[in-house]
Amino acid sequence: MKPSNPGVLVGLVVVFGLLTWGLLLRFYSVVPTLPWTAIPTTLLLAIGEAYTGWLTRARILRRPDTKPVEPLAVARLAALAKATAYVGAAFGGIFAGFVVHVLELLDLDKPRQDALVGGGSFVACVILICAALFLEHCCRVPGEPSGEA
Protein backbone atom coordinates (compact mmCIF):
# COMPACT_ATOMS: atom_id res chain seq x y z
CA MET A 1 0.00 0.00 0.00
CA LYS A 2 1.35 3.41 -0.91
CA PRO A 3 0.97 6.44 1.38
CA SER A 4 -1.92 8.80 0.72
CA ASN A 5 -1.11 11.53 -1.75
CA PRO A 6 -1.82 15.00 -0.30
CA GLY A 7 -2.46 16.32 -3.81
CA VAL A 8 -5.30 13.85 -4.28
CA LEU A 9 -6.77 14.88 -0.92
CA VAL A 10 -6.66 18.56 -1.86
CA GLY A 11 -8.20 17.69 -5.22
CA LEU A 12 -11.06 15.89 -3.47
CA VAL A 13 -11.69 18.93 -1.27
CA VAL A 14 -11.81 21.19 -4.32
CA VAL A 15 -14.02 18.89 -6.42
CA PHE A 16 -16.53 18.23 -3.62
CA GLY A 17 -16.49 21.92 -2.70
CA LEU A 18 -17.32 22.96 -6.26
CA LEU A 19 -20.03 20.30 -6.60
CA THR A 20 -21.63 21.36 -3.32
CA TRP A 21 -21.44 25.04 -4.20
CA GLY A 22 -23.03 24.34 -7.59
CA LEU A 23 -25.86 22.32 -6.07
CA LEU A 24 -26.49 24.92 -3.38
CA LEU A 25 -26.90 27.65 -5.99
CA ARG A 26 -30.10 25.90 -7.01
CA PHE A 27 -31.26 24.05 -3.89
CA TYR A 28 -30.07 26.04 -0.84
CA SER A 29 -33.56 27.21 0.08
CA VAL A 30 -34.75 23.61 0.64
CA VAL A 31 -31.63 22.31 2.43
CA PRO A 32 -31.92 22.11 6.22
CA THR A 33 -29.47 23.97 8.45
CA LEU A 34 -26.14 22.24 8.98
CA PRO A 35 -26.02 20.28 12.27
CA TRP A 36 -23.52 21.61 14.79
CA THR A 37 -22.93 18.04 16.00
CA ALA A 38 -20.66 17.41 13.00
CA ILE A 39 -17.90 19.42 14.69
CA PRO A 40 -17.52 17.47 17.96
CA THR A 41 -18.13 14.14 16.22
CA THR A 42 -15.38 14.75 13.70
CA LEU A 43 -13.01 16.01 16.41
CA LEU A 44 -13.64 12.89 18.51
CA LEU A 45 -12.84 10.72 15.49
CA ALA A 46 -9.63 12.68 14.95
CA ILE A 47 -8.59 12.27 18.58
CA GLY A 48 -9.30 8.54 18.37
CA GLU A 49 -7.22 8.11 15.23
CA ALA A 50 -4.32 10.15 16.58
CA TYR A 51 -4.32 8.21 19.85
CA THR A 52 -4.49 4.91 17.97
CA GLY A 53 -1.53 6.02 15.88
CA TRP A 54 0.46 6.90 18.97
CA LEU A 55 -0.28 3.53 20.59
CA THR A 56 0.38 1.60 17.40
CA ARG A 57 3.73 3.29 16.85
CA ALA A 58 4.81 2.43 20.39
CA ARG A 59 3.86 -1.21 19.81
CA ILE A 60 5.59 -1.39 16.42
CA LEU A 61 8.78 0.03 17.94
CA ARG A 62 8.39 -2.45 20.85
CA ARG A 63 8.69 0.18 23.51
CA PRO A 64 8.78 -1.07 27.12
CA ASP A 65 5.46 -2.20 28.61
CA THR A 66 3.83 -2.72 25.19
CA LYS A 67 2.78 -5.95 23.52
CA PRO A 68 3.88 -6.67 19.96
CA VAL A 69 1.23 -5.80 17.41
CA GLU A 70 -0.19 -8.24 14.87
CA PRO A 71 0.85 -7.36 11.30
CA LEU A 72 -2.71 -7.84 10.03
CA ALA A 73 -3.99 -5.37 12.64
CA VAL A 74 -1.47 -2.79 11.40
CA ALA A 75 -2.58 -3.36 7.80
CA ARG A 76 -6.20 -2.84 8.82
CA LEU A 77 -5.31 0.36 10.68
CA ALA A 78 -3.43 1.63 7.63
CA ALA A 79 -6.47 0.92 5.45
CA LEU A 80 -8.70 2.69 7.99
CA ALA A 81 -6.38 5.70 7.98
CA LYS A 82 -6.34 5.89 4.20
CA ALA A 83 -10.14 5.63 3.99
CA THR A 84 -10.60 8.23 6.72
CA ALA A 85 -8.30 10.68 4.93
CA TYR A 86 -10.32 10.38 1.71
CA VAL A 87 -13.71 10.59 3.42
CA GLY A 88 -12.49 13.54 5.52
CA ALA A 89 -11.39 15.29 2.34
CA ALA A 90 -14.77 14.67 0.69
CA PHE A 91 -16.73 15.99 3.68
CA GLY A 92 -14.29 18.87 4.08
CA GLY A 93 -15.08 19.83 0.50
CA ILE A 94 -18.81 19.64 1.17
CA PHE A 95 -18.50 21.94 4.18
CA ALA A 96 -16.21 24.29 2.25
CA GLY A 97 -18.84 24.45 -0.50
CA PHE A 98 -21.44 25.47 2.07
CA VAL A 99 -19.18 28.21 3.44
CA VAL A 100 -18.35 29.59 -0.01
CA HIS A 101 -22.03 29.65 -0.98
CA VAL A 102 -23.27 31.47 2.14
CA LEU A 103 -20.50 34.09 2.31
CA GLU A 104 -22.60 36.62 0.41
CA LEU A 105 -25.70 35.91 2.55
CA LEU A 106 -24.23 36.49 6.01
CA ASP A 107 -26.78 39.18 6.89
CA LEU A 108 -29.46 36.44 7.18
CA ASP A 109 -29.74 34.12 10.20
CA LYS A 110 -29.72 30.68 8.53
CA PRO A 111 -26.76 31.40 6.21
CA ARG A 112 -24.81 32.95 9.10
CA GLN A 113 -25.34 29.82 11.19
CA ASP A 114 -24.43 27.62 8.21
CA ALA A 115 -21.24 29.63 7.70
CA LEU A 116 -20.17 29.16 11.33
CA VAL A 117 -21.05 25.47 11.47
CA GLY A 118 -19.66 24.81 8.00
CA GLY A 119 -16.41 26.60 8.80
CA GLY A 120 -16.02 24.75 12.09
CA SER A 121 -16.83 21.45 10.40
CA PHE A 122 -14.30 22.18 7.65
CA VAL A 123 -11.59 22.82 10.24
CA ALA A 124 -12.59 19.63 12.07
CA CYS A 125 -12.32 17.70 8.78
CA VAL A 126 -8.83 19.10 8.18
CA ILE A 127 -7.85 17.97 11.69
CA LEU A 128 -9.33 14.53 10.93
CA ILE A 129 -7.30 14.30 7.72
CA CYS A 130 -4.14 15.20 9.65
CA ALA A 131 -4.91 12.55 12.29
CA ALA A 132 -5.54 9.96 9.56
CA LEU A 133 -2.24 10.80 7.87
CA PHE A 134 -0.53 10.52 11.26
CA LEU A 135 -2.06 7.08 11.85
CA GLU A 136 -1.01 6.03 8.37
CA HIS A 137 2.54 7.22 9.11
CA CYS A 138 2.58 5.35 12.42
CA CYS A 139 1.75 2.09 10.65
CA ARG A 140 5.00 2.12 8.68
CA VAL A 141 7.60 -0.51 9.39
CA PRO A 142 10.74 0.98 10.98
CA GLY A 143 13.72 1.24 8.68
CA GLU A 144 11.56 1.16 5.55
CA PRO A 145 12.18 3.83 2.89
CA SER A 146 9.80 6.74 3.37
CA GLY A 147 8.33 6.50 -0.15
CA GLU A 148 7.00 2.98 0.34
CA ALA A 149 4.67 1.59 2.98
Side-chain angles (χ1 to χ4, degrees), residues 99-141:
V99 171
V100 169
H101 176 72
V102 299
L103 280 179
E104 60 191 26
L105 306 169
L106 290 178
D107 53 333
L108 303 171
D109 287 338
K110 180 186 176 211
R112 189 177 322 115
Q113 181 180 355
D114 281 345
L116 291 173
V117 172
S121 298
F122 174 76
V123 170
C125 284
V126 170
I127 293 169
L128 178 63
I129 293 167
C130 292
L133 292 175
F134 174 71
L135 175 58
E136 187 178 315
H137 174 76
C138 290
C139 290
R140 291 183 180 175
V141 177

mmCIF file of all heavy atoms in Angstrom, residues 99-141:
data_model
loop_
_atom_site.group_PDB
_atom_site.id
_atom_site.type_symbol
_atom_site.label_atom_id
_atom_site.label_comp_id
_atom_site.label_asym_id
_atom_site.label_seq_id
_atom_site.Cartn_x
_atom_site.Cartn_y
_atom_site.Cartn_z
ATOM 1 N N VAL A 99 -19.722 26.918 2.977
ATOM 2 C CA VAL A 99 -19.184 28.209 3.436
ATOM 3 C C VAL A 99 -19.058 29.179 2.269
ATOM 4 O O VAL A 99 -19.464 30.343 2.379
ATOM 5 C CB VAL A 99 -17.829 28.010 4.143
ATOM 6 C CG1 VAL A 99 -17.160 29.339 4.431
ATOM 7 C CG2 VAL A 99 -18.016 27.223 5.430
ATOM 8 N N VAL A 100 -18.522 28.714 1.147
ATOM 9 C CA VAL A 100 -18.352 29.592 -0.007
ATOM 10 C C VAL A 100 -19.707 30.104 -0.496
ATOM 11 O O VAL A 100 -19.852 31.277 -0.846
ATOM 12 C CB VAL A 100 -17.583 28.861 -1.130
ATOM 13 C CG1 VAL A 100 -17.632 29.637 -2.435
ATOM 14 C CG2 VAL A 100 -16.149 28.620 -0.702
ATOM 15 N N HIS A 101 -20.715 29.228 -0.493
ATOM 16 C CA HIS A 101 -22.035 29.647 -0.982
ATOM 17 C C HIS A 101 -22.677 30.707 -0.082
ATOM 18 O O HIS A 101 -23.299 31.634 -0.573
ATOM 19 C CB HIS A 101 -22.971 28.443 -1.101
ATOM 20 C CG HIS A 101 -24.355 28.832 -1.506
ATOM 21 N ND1 HIS A 101 -24.654 29.250 -2.788
ATOM 22 C CD2 HIS A 101 -25.507 28.913 -0.806
ATOM 23 C CE1 HIS A 101 -25.936 29.561 -2.844
ATOM 24 N NE2 HIS A 101 -26.483 29.359 -1.659
ATOM 25 N N VAL A 102 -22.549 30.561 1.232
ATOM 26 C CA VAL A 102 -23.269 31.471 2.138
ATOM 27 C C VAL A 102 -22.497 32.741 2.480
ATOM 28 O O VAL A 102 -23.013 33.594 3.190
ATOM 29 C CB VAL A 102 -23.695 30.744 3.446
ATOM 30 C CG1 VAL A 102 -24.627 29.596 3.142
ATOM 31 C CG2 VAL A 102 -22.491 30.291 4.241
ATOM 32 N N LEU A 103 -21.288 32.906 1.971
ATOM 33 C CA LEU A 103 -20.496 34.094 2.305
ATOM 34 C C LEU A 103 -21.194 35.396 1.927
ATOM 35 O O LEU A 103 -21.079 36.396 2.627
ATOM 36 C CB LEU A 103 -19.119 34.025 1.642
ATOM 37 C CG LEU A 103 -18.090 33.152 2.349
ATOM 38 C CD1 LEU A 103 -16.787 33.143 1.581
ATOM 39 C CD2 LEU A 103 -17.879 33.610 3.775
ATOM 40 N N GLU A 104 -21.925 35.388 0.837
ATOM 41 C CA GLU A 104 -22.603 36.618 0.409
ATOM 42 C C GLU A 104 -23.958 36.811 1.088
ATOM 43 O O GLU A 104 -24.602 37.830 0.896
ATOM 44 C CB GLU A 104 -22.761 36.624 -1.107
ATOM 45 C CG GLU A 104 -23.565 35.455 -1.630
ATOM 46 C CD GLU A 104 -23.493 35.320 -3.138
ATOM 47 O OE1 GLU A 104 -22.504 35.768 -3.730
ATOM 48 O OE2 GLU A 104 -24.442 34.777 -3.705
ATOM 49 N N LEU A 105 -24.384 35.840 1.895
ATOM 50 C CA LEU A 105 -25.696 35.909 2.545
ATOM 51 C C LEU A 105 -25.585 36.030 4.068
ATOM 52 O O LEU A 105 -26.516 35.695 4.785
ATOM 53 C CB LEU A 105 -26.505 34.636 2.207
ATOM 54 C CG LEU A 105 -26.667 34.287 0.734
ATOM 55 C CD1 LEU A 105 -27.247 32.900 0.581
ATOM 56 C CD2 LEU A 105 -27.534 35.322 0.052
ATOM 57 N N LEU A 106 -24.472 36.501 4.568
ATOM 58 C CA LEU A 106 -24.229 36.489 6.007
ATOM 59 C C LEU A 106 -25.148 37.403 6.809
ATOM 60 O O LEU A 106 -25.191 37.325 8.031
ATOM 61 C CB LEU A 106 -22.768 36.839 6.300
ATOM 62 C CG LEU A 106 -21.758 35.768 5.892
ATOM 63 C CD1 LEU A 106 -20.346 36.238 6.183
ATOM 64 C CD2 LEU A 106 -22.040 34.458 6.579
ATOM 65 N N ASP A 107 -25.876 38.296 6.161
ATOM 66 C CA ASP A 107 -26.785 39.177 6.890
ATOM 67 C C ASP A 107 -28.069 38.454 7.311
ATOM 68 O O ASP A 107 -28.840 38.966 8.119
ATOM 69 C CB ASP A 107 -27.109 40.426 6.077
ATOM 70 C CG ASP A 107 -27.626 40.100 4.688
ATOM 71 O OD1 ASP A 107 -27.273 39.031 4.162
ATOM 72 O OD2 ASP A 107 -28.373 40.922 4.129
ATOM 73 N N LEU A 108 -28.287 37.241 6.808
ATOM 74 C CA LEU A 108 -29.456 36.442 7.179
ATOM 75 C C LEU A 108 -29.068 35.405 8.237
ATOM 76 O O LEU A 108 -27.918 34.963 8.289
ATOM 77 C CB LEU A 108 -30.035 35.740 5.944
ATOM 78 C CG LEU A 108 -30.434 36.655 4.785
ATOM 79 C CD1 LEU A 108 -30.785 35.831 3.564
ATOM 80 C CD2 LEU A 108 -31.602 37.529 5.198
ATOM 81 N N ASP A 109 -30.033 35.013 9.075
ATOM 82 C CA ASP A 109 -29.738 34.116 10.196
ATOM 83 C C ASP A 109 -29.282 32.724 9.769
ATOM 84 O O ASP A 109 -28.261 32.234 10.239
ATOM 85 C CB ASP A 109 -30.963 33.990 11.115
ATOM 86 C CG ASP A 109 -31.194 35.242 11.938
ATOM 87 O OD1 ASP A 109 -30.230 36.004 12.128
ATOM 88 O OD2 ASP A 109 -32.341 35.451 12.379
ATOM 89 N N LYS A 110 -30.062 32.056 8.915
ATOM 90 C CA LYS A 110 -29.723 30.683 8.527
ATOM 91 C C LYS A 110 -28.367 30.611 7.826
ATOM 92 O O LYS A 110 -27.536 29.783 8.187
ATOM 93 C CB LYS A 110 -30.821 30.087 7.633
ATOM 94 C CG LYS A 110 -30.518 28.669 7.217
ATOM 95 C CD LYS A 110 -31.522 28.118 6.229
ATOM 96 C CE LYS A 110 -31.098 26.728 5.796
ATOM 97 N NZ LYS A 110 -31.473 26.378 4.485
ATOM 98 N N PRO A 111 -28.079 31.464 6.845
ATOM 99 C CA PRO A 111 -26.759 31.402 6.212
ATOM 100 C C PRO A 111 -25.612 31.721 7.178
ATOM 101 O O PRO A 111 -24.540 31.134 7.067
ATOM 102 C CB PRO A 111 -26.842 32.450 5.099
ATOM 103 C CG PRO A 111 -28.288 32.547 4.783
ATOM 104 C CD PRO A 111 -28.985 32.345 6.099
ATOM 105 N N ARG A 112 -25.850 32.633 8.130
ATOM 106 C CA ARG A 112 -24.805 32.952 9.102
ATOM 107 C C ARG A 112 -24.485 31.725 9.951
ATOM 108 O O ARG A 112 -23.323 31.395 10.192
ATOM 109 C CB ARG A 112 -25.231 34.119 9.985
ATOM 110 C CG ARG A 112 -24.112 34.628 10.868
ATOM 111 C CD ARG A 112 -24.497 35.842 11.702
ATOM 112 N NE ARG A 112 -25.352 36.797 11.010
ATOM 113 C CZ ARG A 112 -26.609 37.076 11.373
ATOM 114 N NH1 ARG A 112 -27.152 36.494 12.420
ATOM 115 N NH2 ARG A 112 -27.322 37.944 10.697
ATOM 116 N N GLN A 113 -25.544 31.033 10.400
ATOM 117 C CA GLN A 113 -25.338 29.818 11.194
ATOM 118 C C GLN A 113 -24.653 28.738 10.347
ATOM 119 O O GLN A 113 -23.747 28.057 10.825
ATOM 120 C CB GLN A 113 -26.665 29.289 11.734
ATOM 121 C CG GLN A 113 -26.494 28.046 12.581
ATOM 122 C CD GLN A 113 -27.810 27.522 13.119
ATOM 123 O OE1 GLN A 113 -28.852 28.126 12.949
ATOM 124 N NE2 GLN A 113 -27.747 26.384 13.776
ATOM 125 N N ASP A 114 -25.068 28.597 9.096
ATOM 126 C CA ASP A 114 -24.433 27.616 8.215
ATOM 127 C C ASP A 114 -22.959 27.950 7.973
ATOM 128 O O ASP A 114 -22.129 27.043 7.856
ATOM 129 C CB ASP A 114 -25.172 27.530 6.876
ATOM 130 C CG ASP A 114 -26.437 26.700 6.951
ATOM 131 O OD1 ASP A 114 -26.608 25.962 7.953
ATOM 132 O OD2 ASP A 114 -27.256 26.783 6.023
ATOM 133 N N ALA A 115 -22.640 29.232 7.899
ATOM 134 C CA ALA A 115 -21.242 29.627 7.702
ATOM 135 C C ALA A 115 -20.400 29.250 8.916
ATOM 136 O O ALA A 115 -19.286 28.725 8.769
ATOM 137 C CB ALA A 115 -21.141 31.126 7.435
ATOM 138 N N LEU A 116 -20.923 29.503 10.114
ATOM 139 C CA LEU A 116 -20.171 29.162 11.329
ATOM 140 C C LEU A 116 -20.013 27.648 11.486
ATOM 141 O O LEU A 116 -18.914 27.153 11.750
ATOM 142 C CB LEU A 116 -20.862 29.747 12.562
ATOM 143 C CG LEU A 116 -20.826 31.266 12.673
ATOM 144 C CD1 LEU A 116 -21.693 31.740 13.831
ATOM 145 C CD2 LEU A 116 -19.396 31.734 12.854
ATOM 146 N N VAL A 117 -21.108 26.924 11.318
ATOM 147 C CA VAL A 117 -21.055 25.472 11.466
ATOM 148 C C VAL A 117 -20.237 24.848 10.338
ATOM 149 O O VAL A 117 -19.423 23.949 10.571
ATOM 150 C CB VAL A 117 -22.478 24.872 11.517
ATOM 151 C CG1 VAL A 117 -22.439 23.362 11.476
ATOM 152 C CG2 VAL A 117 -23.203 25.346 12.761
ATOM 153 N N GLY A 118 -20.419 25.330 9.125
ATOM 154 C CA GLY A 118 -19.655 24.810 7.996
ATOM 155 C C GLY A 118 -18.166 25.081 8.135
ATOM 156 O O GLY A 118 -17.343 24.213 7.855
ATOM 157 N N GLY A 119 -17.817 26.277 8.591
ATOM 158 C CA GLY A 119 -16.406 26.598 8.804
ATOM 159 C C GLY A 119 -15.789 25.757 9.903
ATOM 160 O O GLY A 119 -14.682 25.236 9.755
ATOM 161 N N GLY A 120 -16.514 25.604 11.003
ATOM 162 C CA GLY A 120 -16.019 24.753 12.089
ATOM 163 C C GLY A 120 -15.900 23.302 11.662
ATOM 164 O O GLY A 120 -14.939 22.611 12.010
ATOM 165 N N SER A 121 -16.865 22.834 10.885
ATOM 166 C CA SER A 121 -16.827 21.455 10.397
ATOM 167 C C SER A 121 -15.689 21.253 9.406
ATOM 168 O O SER A 121 -15.041 20.201 9.401
ATOM 169 C CB SER A 121 -18.155 21.089 9.744
ATOM 170 O OG SER A 121 -19.201 21.155 10.684
ATOM 171 N N PHE A 122 -15.427 22.264 8.578
ATOM 172 C CA PHE A 122 -14.304 22.177 7.647
ATOM 173 C C PHE A 122 -12.985 22.061 8.407
ATOM 174 O O PHE A 122 -12.139 21.220 8.081
ATOM 175 C CB PHE A 122 -14.274 23.387 6.712
ATOM 176 C CG PHE A 122 -13.065 23.420 5.830
ATOM 177 C CD1 PHE A 122 -12.976 22.581 4.736
ATOM 178 C CD2 PHE A 122 -12.002 24.274 6.100
ATOM 179 C CE1 PHE A 122 -11.854 22.595 3.927
ATOM 180 C CE2 PHE A 122 -10.882 24.298 5.303
ATOM 181 C CZ PHE A 122 -10.808 23.450 4.207
ATOM 182 N N VAL A 123 -12.814 22.883 9.429
ATOM 183 C CA VAL A 123 -11.589 22.821 10.238
ATOM 184 C C VAL A 123 -11.483 21.458 10.920
ATOM 185 O O VAL A 123 -10.399 20.856 10.969
ATOM 186 C CB VAL A 123 -11.566 23.974 11.270
ATOM 187 C CG1 VAL A 123 -10.452 23.795 12.275
ATOM 188 C CG2 VAL A 123 -11.432 25.315 10.556
ATOM 189 N N ALA A 124 -12.599 20.945 11.431
ATOM 190 C CA ALA A 124 -12.591 19.629 12.070
ATOM 191 C C ALA A 124 -12.218 18.543 11.053
ATOM 192 O O ALA A 124 -11.495 17.596 11.397
ATOM 193 C CB ALA A 124 -13.949 19.334 12.701
ATOM 194 N N CYS A 125 -12.676 18.674 9.824
ATOM 195 C CA CYS A 125 -12.318 17.699 8.781
ATOM 196 C C CYS A 125 -10.828 17.767 8.456
ATOM 197 O O CYS A 125 -10.195 16.731 8.220
ATOM 198 C CB CYS A 125 -13.149 17.921 7.530
ATOM 199 S SG CYS A 125 -14.845 17.337 7.667
ATOM 200 N N VAL A 126 -10.274 18.964 8.427
ATOM 201 C CA VAL A 126 -8.833 19.100 8.181
ATOM 202 C C VAL A 126 -8.053 18.436 9.322
ATOM 203 O O VAL A 126 -7.054 17.734 9.081
ATOM 204 C CB VAL A 126 -8.440 20.585 8.013
ATOM 205 C CG1 VAL A 126 -6.932 20.761 8.014
ATOM 206 C CG2 VAL A 126 -9.050 21.148 6.744
ATOM 207 N N ILE A 127 -8.502 18.615 10.556
ATOM 208 C CA ILE A 127 -7.851 17.965 11.694
ATOM 209 C C ILE A 127 -7.976 16.446 11.578
ATOM 210 O O ILE A 127 -7.023 15.712 11.855
ATOM 211 C CB ILE A 127 -8.443 18.492 13.020
ATOM 212 C CG1 ILE A 127 -8.071 19.965 13.208
ATOM 213 C CG2 ILE A 127 -7.974 17.659 14.206
ATOM 214 C CD1 ILE A 127 -8.802 20.656 14.341
ATOM 215 N N LEU A 128 -9.141 15.961 11.130
ATOM 216 C CA LEU A 128 -9.333 14.527 10.934
ATOM 217 C C LEU A 128 -8.397 13.995 9.856
ATOM 218 O O LEU A 128 -7.807 12.916 10.018
ATOM 219 C CB LEU A 128 -10.787 14.234 10.565
ATOM 220 C CG LEU A 128 -11.132 12.764 10.284
ATOM 221 C CD1 LEU A 128 -10.914 11.908 11.532
ATOM 222 C CD2 LEU A 128 -12.562 12.644 9.800
ATOM 223 N N ILE A 129 -8.221 14.724 8.784
ATOM 224 C CA ILE A 129 -7.300 14.301 7.723
ATOM 225 C C ILE A 129 -5.878 14.218 8.272
ATOM 226 O O ILE A 129 -5.153 13.256 8.000
ATOM 227 C CB ILE A 129 -7.376 15.265 6.522
ATOM 228 C CG1 ILE A 129 -8.731 15.165 5.841
ATOM 229 C CG2 ILE A 129 -6.255 14.988 5.519
ATOM 230 C CD1 ILE A 129 -9.014 16.280 4.854
ATOM 231 N N CYS A 130 -5.480 15.206 9.052
ATOM 232 C CA CYS A 130 -4.137 15.199 9.648
ATOM 233 C C CYS A 130 -3.962 13.999 10.584
ATOM 234 O O CYS A 130 -2.916 13.343 10.579
ATOM 235 C CB CYS A 130 -3.874 16.504 10.398
ATOM 236 S SG CYS A 130 -3.742 17.939 9.317
ATOM 237 N N ALA A 131 -4.981 13.704 11.385
ATOM 238 C CA ALA A 131 -4.914 12.547 12.285
ATOM 239 C C ALA A 131 -4.838 11.253 11.487
ATOM 240 O O ALA A 131 -4.094 10.328 11.856
ATOM 241 C CB ALA A 131 -6.122 12.537 13.217
ATOM 242 N N ALA A 132 -5.577 11.162 10.388
ATOM 243 C CA ALA A 132 -5.540 9.957 9.557
ATOM 244 C C ALA A 132 -4.164 9.786 8.918
ATOM 245 O O ALA A 132 -3.624 8.673 8.870
ATOM 246 C CB ALA A 132 -6.624 10.028 8.483
ATOM 247 N N LEU A 133 -3.584 10.876 8.451
ATOM 248 C CA LEU A 133 -2.239 10.798 7.871
ATOM 249 C C LEU A 133 -1.213 10.425 8.938
ATOM 250 O O LEU A 133 -0.253 9.697 8.659
ATOM 251 C CB LEU A 133 -1.873 12.119 7.190
ATOM 252 C CG LEU A 133 -2.687 12.451 5.938
ATOM 253 C CD1 LEU A 133 -2.313 13.838 5.411
ATOM 254 C CD2 LEU A 133 -2.514 11.395 4.863
ATOM 255 N N PHE A 134 -1.415 10.894 10.162
ATOM 256 C CA PHE A 134 -0.526 10.524 11.262
ATOM 257 C C PHE A 134 -0.640 9.028 11.556
ATOM 258 O O PHE A 134 0.367 8.336 11.721
ATOM 259 C CB PHE A 134 -0.860 11.349 12.510
ATOM 260 C CG PHE A 134 -0.083 10.942 13.726
ATOM 261 C CD1 PHE A 134 1.278 11.209 13.820
ATOM 262 C CD2 PHE A 134 -0.701 10.288 14.773
ATOM 263 C CE1 PHE A 134 1.999 10.825 14.939
ATOM 264 C CE2 PHE A 134 0.006 9.908 15.897
ATOM 265 C CZ PHE A 134 1.366 10.173 15.980
ATOM 266 N N LEU A 135 -1.868 8.507 11.620
ATOM 267 C CA LEU A 135 -2.061 7.077 11.851
ATOM 268 C C LEU A 135 -1.430 6.275 10.724
ATOM 269 O O LEU A 135 -0.760 5.265 10.970
ATOM 270 C CB LEU A 135 -3.555 6.745 11.979
ATOM 271 C CG LEU A 135 -3.919 5.260 12.096
ATOM 272 C CD1 LEU A 135 -3.240 4.621 13.307
ATOM 273 C CD2 LEU A 135 -5.428 5.095 12.173
ATOM 274 N N GLU A 136 -1.614 6.716 9.510
ATOM 275 C CA GLU A 136 -1.008 6.029 8.370
ATOM 276 C C GLU A 136 0.516 6.012 8.499
ATOM 277 O O GLU A 136 1.173 4.994 8.256
ATOM 278 C CB GLU A 136 -1.431 6.720 7.080
ATOM 279 C CG GLU A 136 -1.008 6.016 5.827
ATOM 280 C CD GLU A 136 -1.506 6.719 4.589
ATOM 281 O OE1 GLU A 136 -2.685 7.121 4.549
ATOM 282 O OE2 GLU A 136 -0.708 6.862 3.638
ATOM 283 N N HIS A 137 1.086 7.132 8.908
ATOM 284 C CA HIS A 137 2.537 7.219 9.107
ATOM 285 C C HIS A 137 3.002 6.285 10.231
ATOM 286 O O HIS A 137 4.052 5.663 10.124
ATOM 287 C CB HIS A 137 2.936 8.665 9.420
ATOM 288 C CG HIS A 137 4.373 8.809 9.772
ATOM 289 N ND1 HIS A 137 5.374 8.773 8.829
ATOM 290 C CD2 HIS A 137 4.991 8.975 10.964
ATOM 291 C CE1 HIS A 137 6.537 8.913 9.431
ATOM 292 N NE2 HIS A 137 6.334 9.046 10.727
ATOM 293 N N CYS A 138 2.218 6.196 11.280
ATOM 294 C CA CYS A 138 2.584 5.353 12.421
ATOM 295 C C CYS A 138 2.538 3.865 12.088
ATOM 296 O O CYS A 138 3.136 3.059 12.797
ATOM 297 C CB CYS A 138 1.659 5.634 13.606
ATOM 298 S SG CYS A 138 1.940 7.240 14.350
ATOM 299 N N CYS A 139 1.857 3.496 11.036
ATOM 300 C CA CYS A 139 1.750 2.087 10.647
ATOM 301 C C CYS A 139 2.924 1.624 9.794
ATOM 302 O O CYS A 139 2.991 0.454 9.422
ATOM 303 C CB CYS A 139 0.437 1.848 9.896
ATOM 304 S SG CYS A 139 -1.021 1.978 10.942
ATOM 305 N N ARG A 140 3.846 2.497 9.485
ATOM 306 C CA ARG A 140 5.004 2.117 8.676
ATOM 307 C C ARG A 140 5.954 1.246 9.477
ATOM 308 O O ARG A 140 6.117 1.414 10.682
ATOM 309 C CB ARG A 140 5.750 3.355 8.192
ATOM 310 C CG ARG A 140 4.971 4.132 7.191
ATOM 311 C CD ARG A 140 5.752 5.289 6.686
ATOM 312 N NE ARG A 140 4.949 6.017 5.712
ATOM 313 C CZ ARG A 140 5.303 7.135 5.158
ATOM 314 N NH1 ARG A 140 6.452 7.687 5.468
ATOM 315 N NH2 ARG A 140 4.520 7.717 4.292
ATOM 316 N N VAL A 141 6.610 0.365 8.765
ATOM 317 C CA VAL A 141 7.599 -0.507 9.388
ATOM 318 C C VAL A 141 8.877 0.297 9.579
ATOM 319 O O VAL A 141 9.308 0.997 8.668
ATOM 320 C CB VAL A 141 7.859 -1.740 8.489
ATOM 321 C CG1 VAL A 141 8.950 -2.624 9.078
ATOM 322 C CG2 VAL A 141 6.577 -2.506 8.281
#
